[in-house]
Amino acid sequence: MSIIQYKSYDRLLVAVDCIIFGFDGTELKALMIKRGFDPEMGKWSLMGGFVNQMESVDDAASRVLNQLTGLSSIYMEQLHCFGDVKRDPGGRVVSVAYFALIKIDDYNEALMQEHNAKWFPLKKIPAMVFDHKQMMRLAQERLQQKVAQHPIGFALLPDKFTLQQLQGLYEAIYERQMDKRNFTRKILAFNILNKLNEKEKESSKKGAFYYVFDKKKYERMDKEGLKFL
């Protein structure tokens, strides 16, 4: 097939949509925006945009995430391609979905107001435009699968955290309670957490020691293969 024949094929719009997860210490949440334009103006939506002529799909997703959060170098992973013919009433649009993990406290409040954005607990997600609810469900399933093999959940936590906070995160991701003793034993057995000589004392008088994730130790172990949880 020659380059000339390319012109005989239909032109499609390519978009990216980003599912952004955050953890507030108790609940896993998703960041959504209220659309300010048609179609479906005024309804809740994922943050997205069209891929520009001179950028890759990954670069487009990074741009969209930066526009909404003001953050860069955050955890981001391509999720799935959504290409139903009638998925977008505005036109023939193929969307590549991504999911990203950010620390809620790092999010810029001014940008949140600018984009009419709001954090929603995953158990209370409102009606959404197009196929965005499907994207959300798939992203949640992928996150559950991913954290079982890789410690990406640390991207949702502060740089220093307690074991209770870490367990709370995994309980929020899997939507079930975990046995404290078993969780602590298994996590510490990996030897990828460094204990600090500092305690969090807001939760109790005795206080709980803070830990930090040691990425270098994990990378050495990961080469040998391990199941994180």
Side-chain angles (χ1 to χ4, degrees):
M1 182 171 67
S2 69
I3 294 179
I4 295 176
Q5 289 178 290
Y6 282 25
K7 296 181 180 179
S8 64
Y9 288 87
D10 293 337
R11 294 288 190 266
L12 307 177
L13 292 170
V14 178
V16 292
D17 285 296
C18 300
I19 303 98
I20 304 172
F21 291 121
F23 179 62
D24 67 357
T26 303
E27 295 181 296
L28 189 65
K29 296 184 174 182
L31 187 61
M32 297 164 56
I33 64 168
K34 184 166 286 188
R35 286 172 67 90
F37 53 90
D38 286 322
E40 308 287 5
M41 184 170 66
K43 295 185 178 180
W44 290 107
S45 166
L46 298 173
M47 183 66 175
F50 292 110
V51 179
N52 294 329
Q53 185 73 28
M54 299 304 294
E55 68 179 350
S56 69
V57 179
D58 284 351
D59 287 343
S62 295
R63 170 176 54 81
V64 167
L65 284 167
N66 180 259
Q67 288 174 347
L68 178 58
T69 68
L71 303 174
S72 57
S73 300
I74 61 180
Y75 184 89
M76 177 187 77
E77 182 176 323
Q78 191 175 118
L79 178 65
H80 189 70
C81 180
F82 293 80
D84 187 84
V85 174
K86 296 181 180 180
R87 61 169 300 275
D88 187 332
R92 183 69 175 97
V93 182
V94 173
S95 178
V96 182
Y98 288 75
F99 78 89
L101 309 177
I102 70 172
K103 297 176 175 63
I104 284 184
D105 289 343
D106 289 345
Y107 183 58
N108 189 306
E109 187 67 28
L111 285 174
M112 194 168 190
Q113 295 179 7
E114 178 183 338
H115 293 286
N116 290 319
K118 182 178 179 180
W119 287 104
F120 284 93
L122 295 194
K123 296 180 179 180
K124 298 179 181 179
I125 297 296
M128 301 174 69
V129 302
F130 314 154
D131 48 8
H132 289 192
K133 202 71 172 278
Q134 182 183 354
M135 294 180 182
M136 183 77 72
R137 285 196 299 268
L138 188 60
Q140 186 177 7
E141 292 173 2
R142 178 70 61 83
L143 179 61
Q144 291 174 343
Q145 296 166 2
K146 194 78 176 184
V147 297
Q149 303 291 336
H150 304 280
I152 63 172
F154 291 105
L156 293 164
L157 290 170
D159 292 334
K160 58 182 182 181
F161 49 85
T162 66
L163 293 177
Q164 183 179 357
Q165 290 170 333
L166 180 60
Q167 180 174 337
L169 169 64
Y170 279 88
E171 289 179 338
I173 291 173
Y174 286 111
E175 298 181 324
R176 62 179 174 84
Q177 289 188 329
M178 298 179 177
D179 180 80
K180 180 179 179 181
R181 183 177 297 178
N182 289 338
F183 180 86
T184 299
R185 175 181 53 79
K186 191 165 187 177
I187 288 295
L188 294 181
F190 286 121
N191 195 33
I192 57 173
L193 299 182
N194 293 330
K195 188 177 182 179
L196 303 179
N197 291 320
E198 183 182 354
K199 287 186 174 183
E200 186 274 322
K201 294 185 177 181
E202 293 183 5
S203 301
S204 67
K205 292 182 179 180
K206 184 179 179 181
F209 281 104
Y210 280 116
Y211 289 79
V212 293
F213 172 57
D214 193 321
K215 187 176 181 180
K216 291 183 178 179
K217 284 184 180 179
Y218 168 76
E219 289 174 345
R220 288 196 295 268
M221 293 180 64
D222 191 37
K223 292 179 181 178
E224 302 172 3
L226 78 159
K227 182 175 176 62
F228 191 65
L229 276 180

